[in-house]
Amino acid sequence: MSKNGSGLHIVFTGAPGCGKGTQARALKEKVDICHLSTGEMLRAEAAKGTPLGSEISALIDGGNLVPDEMIIKMLSSRIEEDDCKNGFILDGFPRTLPQATVLDELLEQKGIKLDAVIEIQVPDEIIMERILGRYACMTCGEGYHDKFHKPKVYGVCDKCGGTNFYRRIDDNRTTVQNRLVNYRALTYPTIPFFEKKGVLCCVDGTGTIEATSKKVNVILGITQ
Ligand code: ADP
């Protein structure tokens, strides 16, 4: 398997709050390829306050997925950009079978094979506790948790020194319950799809961030 920056193409998948974003960011530090989070791309669009942005906000805040057509258009043009030439880490995409099929076709056209689809497995009870306690630095996006990952100095981001933090509007109990229902109904069917293609790797995501990272690195043959 290719490693350390030369043409890696990875997908992180799993239920909301399983740690895909955290693991994608950790992997990016090691391999320096493009990290594409569709959730972040959509939140950036929503923040513009345009009619499209408001439509996206309403869907996200209710725990629903945005339409396949919209996300496919967004992602397929994004992976054509220069910074994806050496590979990418997809985080939050594909999230439905039609999205998985389009990704598969797009990559086939480009002669690219996914190195791995890493499913991070975490039971629902743990997910709820993780999501309800999580928050992030407004300046650099570094993620924290009320119980499991506090900044070293109270109120100051370990990474950038920022002092403003935010919680996602969709990180509330009712919305998370809906996100879990949607995960099972719409995203979970992509798991057997990738399993049949021989690229699925499952990782237990219940341990610490570092423990999960180690398992991911072993899968990808990253030794440093
Ligand atoms: P999480 O995995 O923790 O739920 P994300 O940041 O990946 O969070 O996504 C947040 C929200 O953005 C999702 O609940 C959904 O509404 C929307 N979203 C992200 N990626 C996709 C996608 N590939 N297809 C449809 N909707 C998406």
Side-chain angles (χ1 to χ4, degrees):
M1 202 174 276
S2 54
K3 57 185 142 176
N4 297 345
S6 54
L8 257 191
H9 297 86
I10 308 291
V11 171
F12 278 106
T13 190
C18 69
K20 2 180 231 303
T22 306
Q23 292 305 323
R25 279 189 293 275
L27 179 61
K28 189 200 156 49
E29 304 255 304
K30 290 201 171 264
V31 295
D32 195 26
I33 50 173
C34 199
H35 167 207
L36 299 178
S37 156
T38 43
E40 276 169 23
M41 289 159 88
L42 290 169
R43 283 188 286 279
E45 191 59 48
K48 290 183 189 164
T50 56
L52 175 68
S54 310
E55 205 183 304
I56 292 172
S57 288
L59 289 166
I60 294 184
D61 297 352
N64 297 307
L65 298 188
V66 307
D68 282 336
E69 209 179 291
M70 184 193 294
I71 198 91
I72 286 169
K73 206 166 145 198
M74 189 174 91
L75 202 277
S76 44
S77 61
R78 183 63 187 86
I79 61 174
E80 293 299 335
E81 287 179 31
D82 258 14
D83 59 347
C84 292
K85 262 197 204 131
N86 290 328
F88 50 65
I89 304 163
L90 296 182
D91 155 16
F93 184 96
R95 233 176 172 108
T96 62
L97 262 183
Q99 292 179 22
T101 311
V102 169
L103 178 67
D104 194 50
E105 287 164 4
L106 273 175
L107 295 184
E108 200 176 317
Q109 280 163 22
K110 289 165 151 295
I112 293 171
K113 193 181 175 301
L114 283 175
D115 291 280
V117 173
I118 301 177
E119 183 203 4
I120 304 181
Q121 298 176 325
V122 178
D124 287 6
E125 318 80 77
I126 298 185
I127 278 176
M128 196 52 96
E129 192 183 21
R130 279 189 184 176
I131 294 189
L132 296 184
R134 76 181 177 182
Y135 61 98
C137 171
M138 237 146 123
T139 313
C140 72
E142 182 70 359
Y144 294 97
H145 191 281
D146 294 327
K147 267 199 212 161
F148 310 126
H149 181 210
K150 300 179 188 173
K152 291 191 186 85
V153 178
Y154 178 78
V156 182
C157 175
D158 294 348
K159 206 169 170 195
C160 76
T163 51
N164 293 312
F165 297 86
Y166 70 96
R167 287 178 198 265
R168 279 168 43 178
I169 296 171
D170 58 337
D171 281 353
N172 65 77
R173 192 173 291 278
T174 315
T175 303
V176 174
Q177 272 156 356
N178 196 32
R179 281 157 66 192
L180 287 170
V181 167
N182 281 326
Y183 174 73
R184 260 177 244 113
L186 301 169
T187 309
Y188 193 75
T190 64
I191 301 289
F193 174 89
F194 286 120
E195 191 174 20
K196 272 191 212 120
K197 299 209 163 274
V199 288
L200 183 72
C201 305
C202 300
V203 164
D204 169 11
T206 57
T208 61
I209 294 172
E210 293 72 24
T212 308
S213 283
K214 273 192 192 150
K215 291 175 196 156
V216 169
N217 292 343
V218 168
I219 287 172
L220 300 177
I222 294 170
T223 47
Q224 52 166 337

